[in-house]
Amino acid sequence: MRKDSASLGLRAVAVAAVLFVALPLISLFFRAPWSELGSIASQRATRDALFVSLETSVIAAVIATLFGVPLAWFFARAQVKGLGAIRTICIVPMVLPPVVGGIALLTSLGRRGVFGRFLYDWWGISLPFTRTAIVIAQVFVAMPFLVIAVESAFRQLDTGLEDAARTLGASPLRVFFGVAVPGARGAIAAGIALAWARSLGEFGASITFAGSFPGRTQTLPMAVYELVATDYRSSIVMSLILVVISVVVLGSMRDRWITGAAK
Amino acid sequence: MTLELHGTVQRGEFHREVRISAQPGEVTAILGVNGSGKSTVLHTIAGLSPLQTGLLTVDDVTWDAPAESRWITPEQRHCAVVFQDLRLFPHLDVLRNITFGLRASGIRRVAAIARAHEALAEVGASALVNRKPANLSGGERQRVALARALVMKPRVLLLDEPFASVDEDSHKAFRELLPRIVEGLNAITLMVTHDETDASAIASRQVRLSPQELP
């Protein structure tokens, strides 16, 4: 009897939590200008922003994967002094306010930045306010999510399999690609999806480092933000597009991948 | 042309003195109760656990000599291990488990597959090629693990409790199979076991490790 009433209380809390998350999302669908949906979704500004968003977030996810998976392996297996400190630095962007990340990128890679100065003086490369800047900002913010997910999977792998591979003549590189990466493939897939979704939604760091120029650096989240005051209906439609993409990503990840990451 | 090991191996916080000398074409059994450091000796020879003091040479090549800071990596030792827990790669089918080492040693795919089929036939596991380790019985897994080691044609073959995961029937079959295979291989074979009967049935020499004494 007591057990039942306890679970009833928990259920009530759970229902409240679900409503808290679901109601705002559902409200978007209620307020959507369905009759104008097609015309708003196909208007130039929307298409441009969507294209910039998709292009930059896919490139960012690829780069985050190429660098993040080996980095996660390094964190999981390397025995180096000060590894904890290095790891903390690499994970910080995850908890940093994104706008601060944007400022940090400007101070390092801006035209007068600590390193950007040399890029500009020596090769004439100016990164801020370009699409490349968007990608850099997205990788900066999104890679830690992938690294954390993949690192924990690498840590839980059976090192006995890696030892077995080495006795069979596998170089450390082959152990990584032949045993570790396949062993963590569920977590890697989940990490990629997470990094991509986070890149797609990136706003603070990107707008600070790359600005919001329609057709050039304006991503969908930036367009939503700018239109909220002037063209509320368009911003709802764009938001809906982002919601649908996010749900599709999460749905395609499925429980299998998420539990695979925890395994 | 022998394996010579003497020195101290480390197992957790314990150190243990060992002295082993083994010849090609014969099986040396390493006997001892649980916790006497039998597996550690194999891991030391395979390069997974370094010698603390002493010397390990195979065919007059030094594999491990802490005093000279000499240590050959596991992947460079011509040494194959059948681990007690087998350690088959769960994401690869039987064929790819067996070609893994050959491919890592730079052997071309077609040649590797041909050799894998030979090795599987030798251990009587030809029917298992496309199965995943998870779908095999204990005895089948043991055969695959043995084939994965044999296919490398190692100078040193290390068997850690090779009958641990097989049932009674397979046990008998294995006891007959192993000597035949070892003979064909002409490798230096070390077999860890706690079973006196297995040791005397298969091995021509025996090394006995006493229970772990406290340091």
Side-chain angles (χ1 to χ4, degrees):
Chain A
M1 195 63 198
R2 267 183 67 197
K3 198 178 163 194
D4 268 346
S5 61
S7 73
L8 198 70
L10 283 179
R11 245 176 251 189
V13 174
V15 167
V18 168
L19 289 177
F20 179 75
V21 177
L23 285 181
L25 294 177
I26 294 168
S27 304
L28 271 178
F29 285 88
F30 275 117
R31 280 284 179 269
W34 292 106
S35 55
E36 300 164 59
L37 193 74
S39 60
I40 292 176
S42 62
Q43 75 194 5
R44 177 99 198 230
T46 315
R47 278 185 312 165
D48 281 353
L50 180 63
F51 176 76
V52 172
S53 270
L54 288 178
E55 187 194 52
T56 54
S57 61
V58 167
I59 296 173
V62 170
I63 294 174
T65 307
L66 292 180
F67 287 88
V69 175
L71 181 63
W73 177 247
F74 178 73
F75 286 157
R77 289 289 186 273
Q79 289 165 331
V80 184
K81 268 189 186 160
L83 190 68
I86 300 172
R87 191 175 171 280
T88 305
I89 291 170
C90 294
I91 302 303
V92 155
M94 205 167 96
V95 290
L96 205 66
V99 62
V100 176
I103 296 288
L105 287 170
L106 266 181
T107 56
S108 68
L109 296 173
R111 203 183 276 194
R112 295 190 197 289
V114 178
F115 305 103
R117 212 149 45 106
F118 301 109
L119 288 180
Y120 188 67
D121 290 347
W122 295 351
W123 296 296
I125 297 172
S126 174
L127 288 173
F129 311 113
T130 62
R131 218 172 274 181
T132 310
I134 299 269
V135 173
I136 293 172
Q138 289 174 347
V139 172
F140 183 82
V141 170
M143 193 161 70
F145 289 88
L146 179 136
V147 171
I148 289 230
V150 177
E151 181 195 345
S152 95
F154 279 152
R155 279 184 191 283
Q156 285 163 49
L157 283 184
D158 177 8
T159 53
L161 290 177
E162 291 156 31
D163 285 346
R166 296 194 70 190
T167 63
L168 288 165
S171 63
L173 205 63
R174 191 175 274 266
V175 172
F176 173 70
F177 282 110
V179 180
V181 167
R185 61 190 185 281
I188 292 173
I192 293 172
L194 230 104
W196 181 63
R198 187 64 192 79
S199 296
L200 189 73
E202 219 301 308
F203 174 74
S206 319
I207 202 167
T208 312
F209 187 43
S212 174
F213 302 107
R216 261 175 58 214
T217 66
Q218 190 177 71
T219 62
L220 214 46
M222 292 180 199
V224 169
Y225 175 74
E226 300 219 330
L227 290 175
V228 127
T230 55
D231 187 356
Y232 188 48
R233 298 146 83 82
S234 290
S235 74
I236 289 179
V237 173
M238 292 179 184
S239 299
L240 269 180
I241 295 174
L242 285 169
V243 169
V244 169
I245 294 176
S246 306
V247 169
V248 168
V249 173
L250 206 62
S252 68
M253 275 167 68
R254 288 226 181 103
D255 290 345
R256 179 170 64 93
W257 286 13
I258 294 166
T259 49
K263 215 161 81 177
Chain B
M1 294 291 133
T2 54
L3 177 146
E4 298 287 342
L5 167 67
H6 64 85
T8 326
V9 298
Q10 188 173 18
R11 177 176 180 272
E13 291 177 3
F14 297 112
H15 294 255
R16 131 171 308 289
E17 288 293 325
V18 286
R19 178 172 290 272
I20 292 171
S21 176
Q23 308 287 332
E26 63 177 31
V27 178
T28 304
I30 302 175
L31 283 149
V33 296
N34 284 339
S36 58
K38 303 186 298 283
S39 296
T40 311
V41 171
L42 292 197
H43 286 196
T44 302
I45 296 170
L48 299 175
S49 159
L51 264 179
Q52 299 304 300
T53 64
L55 183 66
L56 166 64
T57 61
V58 174
D59 299 343
D60 298 325
V61 178
T62 303
W63 280 11
D64 198 343
E68 303 164 37
S69 307
R70 234 184 114 66
W71 183 76
I72 307 275
T73 61
E75 59 266 31
Q76 288 170 314
R77 303 184 181 199
H78 290 288
C79 176
V81 192
V82 177
F83 292 93
Q84 182 171 5
D85 53 357
L86 303 182
R87 305 188 183 178
L88 298 176
F89 303 120
H91 61 286
L92 300 178
D93 62 17
V94 166
L95 185 70
R96 287 195 173 76
N97 260 284
I98 294 169
T99 53
F100 184 93
L102 297 172
R103 301 286 289 135
S105 323
I107 289 166
R108 299 172 76 105
R109 201 165 161 269
V110 178
I113 289 174
R115 273 175 67 176
H117 280 294
E118 281 171 32
L120 278 169
E122 216 175 333
V123 300
S126 294
L128 308 175
V129 240
N130 297 318
R131 306 258 294 272
K132 284 275 181 75
N135 304 324
L136 301 176
S137 72
E140 288 170 334
R141 265 179 234 169
Q142 190 76 51
R143 282 168 198 269
V144 172
L146 186 58
R148 187 175 71 170
L150 289 179
V151 80
M152 300 304 292
K153 298 202 193 332
R155 273 306 284 155
V156 178
L157 177 64
L158 304 173
L159 309 167
D160 196 349
E161 299 280 4
F163 308 111
S165 59
V166 300
D167 57 37
E168 226 11 76
D169 290 344
S170 313
H171 193 149
K172 278 188 201 129
F174 258 93
R175 218 185 256 170
E176 287 161 22
L177 179 68
L178 255 184
R180 209 173 66 225
I181 282 169
V182 168
E183 206 175 327
L185 201 60
N186 197 37
I188 299 162
T189 305
L190 299 177
M191 178 180 77
V192 157
T193 179
H194 64 275
D195 187 324
E196 305 273 345
T197 327
D198 285 336
S200 39
I202 294 166
S204 42
R205 290 155 169 258
Q206 299 190 358
V207 175
R208 200 166 296 269
L209 299 183
S210 53
Q212 187 66 60
E213 63 267 18
L214 288 168

